[in-house]
Amino acid sequence: MQRYDLVIIGSGPGGYVAAIRAAQLGLSVALVERYPSLGGTCLNVGCIPSKTLLDSSELYYEAQKHFSEHGIFIENLSLSWEKMLARKSQVVKQTVGGVEYLMKKNKIEVFHGHGRFISANEIAVEGGPTLYGKYIIIATGSKPASLPHISIDKKRIITSTEALSLNELPRRLAIIGGGVIGVEMASIFGRLGTEITIIEYLDRLLPGMDADAGEEARRILTADYGAKILLGHSAQSAEVREERVYLTAAPRAGGSTINIETDYVLVAVGRRPYTDGLELEKASLAVDERGRIPVNSQLQTAVPHIYAIGDVIQGPMLAHKASEDGIFVAEQLAGRKPHLDYLQVPSVVYIWPEIAGVGYTEEMLRQEGRPYRTGKFPYRASGRARAAHETRGFVKVIADAKTDLLLGMHIVGPRAADLIAIGVAGLAYGASAEDIFRLPLAHPTFSEALKEAALAASEGGPLHL
Ligand code: FAD
Ligand code: NAI
C-alpha cells in the first residue's frame, strides 16, 4: 500500500487545483482519475471546449454580419465545422497537457483508474495500487442530468458532451433547458446557421441570474440568431425516426401540446453530482436526497478526515468554485485559516455580449426582505461602446438601502466576464457603491459603466445620462 498525506479522487478543476495547492504547502499528494485525460469536465467536455467553439463561432458571425459596418468586406466567406472542431481538440489537448506538466512539477503522483473506497482511509485504484490517505478529498464532479421520459441515445438525443463533438453541423437543433448550457449552445450553433428551438420550463432564461440579464439573453438569441424560445414549456417526449427527432412540449400552465420536428435534441436540464461506483458506504458516507455529498462549513464530510469539493457538493456548479473549494481544503490541511464565501463567486454566461453577475440578485433580496437600491447604466451611453459598435447591455449595481454596502453587480455587455472582477473585489473587501464610483477607471473603457451604475445606486443618478 502506498501512503500519502492526501489522496484526491477526481482531477477536475476541484481536484487538480487542490493537489497543486496541497503540494505547494508541503503535503505528499496522490491524484486518482478514471479517464486517461486529466482536467475533468471543465477541460475536456465543458468550459474549455465550449469557450473555444463560442470564440470561433463568434468570429464567423461577426465576419458575416458586422464587419461591413466597419468598412470591411469579405467575399466568399465560408465555414469549416471540421476545422473548428479540430482547433477545439487542439486547445483541449494543450490545456490538459498543461495540467500534466503541473502535476509533475509539483511532484503529485497521478494514478489513472476508477477509485473506490475500501475503508475510510484506503482507496483502491482499478488496475493500480491501493492508496492510503491520512486525508482524502472527494472531487468526483458531476454528469449531465436526464429526464425520466426522454432517453439520451447520444446520437440524436444528446448532452453537451456530444454537442461539442458532433460530426456534422446540425440544420435544426432543439434544446431542452434554457439554463447556462442551453443558452451557450444556442449561441454556438445559432451563429453557424443552425435553426434553434429552446424549450424552457420556467418563464425566463437563465433562472439563476439577474432577471434583466435573462431577458437580454432571450433578446440576443431571438434577434441575432432567430432562435425560437418556448418559455413556460416542458419537454414531454422525444422519438427518433429516420435521423429525425420528433419532440413534444406542453405549456406548464396547461393548453395544447406543441410538436417539434428537429435533427438533434440537446438535453441541458442541469447536472447531477457523480458518485457512481465510489462505494461511499465503505467509508460510512452517504449522499443526500439530491445525490450530493453533505459537508459542513469546512467542507468536511461526516467523516472528519474526508473532505468533498466542487460539483459533488452544494453550491454553484462552476469550475472556479470547485477550485476555490480545493484551495480552501488544501490550506486547512496545511494549517492555514482560509476563508470561503459562495456569494462572492461570479457566474458568467459566455454569449455575446457576455453576461456576468456576482452577489445578490434583486430576487434574492426581495425574498430576504432586505431594502436595497439599484443603479443601472446602459452601454448605449458609453463612448467606448459606441466606438466598438457594442451598445447593447447594461451594468446594474445593487447596494444596501441604508448603508450603501455593495450587495451585487450584474453586467450584460462586452467583456462582462472580465469586468465582473471589480464586483468580486468590491464584495470581498466590503466596498460601498460609492467606493466603486470613486475608482479612477481609464477612459474610454467599458469599465466606466461600472462607476456610472455605482453612482446611480449610491446617489440616484449617473454622470453621463
Ligand atoms: P469535474 O470537472 O466533473 O471533475 C471530476 C473528475 O473526477 C472527472 O475527471 C471524473 O472522471 C473523475 N472521477 C469521478 N469519479 C471518479 C472515480 N471514482 N475515480 C476516479 N476519478 C473519478 N464552469 C465554469 O466555471 N465556467 C464555464 O465556462 C463552464 N462551462 C461549462 C460548459 C459545459 C458544457 C459544462 C458541461 C460545464 C461547464 N462548467 C463551467 C462547469 C464546470 O465544468 C464544472 O463546474 C467543473 O468541472 C466542476 O469541477 P469538479 O472538479 O468538481 O468536477
Ligand atoms: P441549469 O441549471 O443552468 O439550467 C437547466 C434549465 O433546464 C433550467 O432553466 C430549468 O428550468 C430547465 N429545465 C429543467 N427541466 C426541464 C424540462 N423538463 N423542460 C424544459 N426545461 C427544463 O443547467 P445546465 O444549463 O444544464 O448547466 C449545468 C451546470 O453547468 C450549471 O450549474 C452551470 O453552472 C454549469 N455551466 C456553467 C457554464 C458557465 O459558467 N459559463 C457553462 C455551462 C455550464
Side-chain angles (χ1 to χ4, degrees), residues 133-187:
K134 187 174 164 203
Y135 298 103
I136 291 175
I137 298 180
I138 304 170
T140 49
S142 63
K143 290 278 180 201
S146 52
L147 292 167
H149 42 283
I150 293 180
S151 73
I152 295 168
D153 67 4
K154 297 192 177 182
K155 293 189 179 80
R156 290 281 154 183
I157 304 177
I158 58 176
T159 71
S160 55
T161 301
E162 295 76 47
L164 292 167
S165 293
L166 274 183
N167 54 17
E168 64 171 355
L169 197 53
R171 187 169 75 76
R172 297 170 301 185
L173 173 67
I175 302 175
I176 307 176
V180 195
I181 293 184
V183 167
E184 288 190 352
M185 293 289 178
S187 293

Side-chain angles (χ1 to χ4, degrees), residues 177 179-181 184 199-201 207 235 268-271 317-318 348 350:
V180 195
I181 293 184
E184 288 190 352
I199 298 128
E200 166 55 47
Y201 182 73
V269 293
R271 292 179 62 85
M317 285 181 154
L318 296 172
V348 176
Y350 295 83

Side-chain angles (χ1 to χ4, degrees), residues 375-458:
K376 212 169 168 187
F377 189 77
Y379 273 108
R380 71 182 144 72
S382 147
R384 183 72 189 85
R386 274 195 300 274
H389 204 77
E390 292 282 5
T391 49
R392 288 189 296 183
F394 60 84
V395 177
K396 185 194 281 184
V397 167
I398 307 178
D400 186 281
K402 286 197 202 95
T403 63
D404 198 40
L405 182 72
L406 178 69
L407 295 176
M409 187 181 281
H410 305 278
I411 310 174
V412 179
R415 305 179 199 173
D418 295 288
L419 291 177
I420 201 65
I422 293 182
V424 175
L427 285 176
Y429 299 136
S432 63
E434 184 188 341
D435 290 332
I436 303 289
F437 165 61
R438 298 207 177 280
L439 294 173
L441 301 174
H443 175 74
T445 58
F446 294 106
S447 64
E448 289 167 295
L450 272 57
K451 271 173 79 87
E452 297 276 4
L455 179 62
S458 189

Side-chain angles (χ1 to χ4, degrees), residues 10 14 33-35 40-41 47 51 114-115 140-141 311 317-320:
E33 171 54 55
R34 62 202 284 265
Y35 288 127
T41 304
C47 329
K51 266 76 262 180
H114 185 94
T140 49
D311 279 11
M317 285 181 154
L318 296 172
H320 44 288

Side-chain angles (χ1 to χ4, degrees), residues 17 22 54-55 75 100 119 175 245 278 295 309 323 361 401 457:
V17 172
L54 275 156
D55 282 343
E75 276 171 32
E100 284 164 6
S119 73
I175 302 175
V245 194
L278 200 51
V295 289
I309 62 172
S323 299
T361 60

